[in-house]
Coordinates of all heavy atoms in Angstrom, one line a residue:
Chain H
I50 N 32.0 18.0 -3.0 CA 33.4 18.5 -3.0 C 33.4 19.9 -3.6 O 32.7 20.2 -4.6 CB 34.3 17.5 -3.9 CG1 34.3 16.2 -3.1 CG2 35.7 18.0 -4.1 CD1 34.7 15.0 -4.0
R251 N 26.2 -9.1 -23.8 CA 27.5 -8.5 -24.0 C 27.5 -7.7 -25.3 O 28.0 -6.6 -25.3 CB 28.6 -9.5 -24.0 CG 29.0 -9.9 -22.6 CD 30.0 -11.1 -22.7 NE 29.8 -12.0 -21.6 CZ 29.8 -13.3 -21.7 NH1 30.0 -13.9 -22.8 NH2 29.6 -14.1 -20.6
R342 N 55.4 -16.4 -22.1 CA 54.9 -15.6 -23.2 C 55.9 -15.4 -24.3 O 55.7 -15.5 -25.5 CB 54.3 -14.3 -22.7 CG 53.0 -14.4 -22.0 CD 52.6 -13.1 -21.3 NE 51.4 -13.4 -20.6 CZ 50.1 -13.2 -21.1 NH1 50.0 -12.9 -22.4 NH2 49.1 -13.5 -20.4
D365 N 45.4 -17.9 -23.6 CA 45.7 -17.4 -22.3 C 45.1 -18.3 -21.3 O 44.0 -18.9 -21.6 CB 45.2 -16.0 -22.1 CG 46.2 -14.9 -22.7 OD1 47.4 -15.1 -22.4 OD2 45.7 -14.0 -23.4

Side-chain angles (χ1 to χ4, degrees):
Chain H
I50 296 161
R251 276 176 217 138
R342 284 170 184 272
D365 274 313

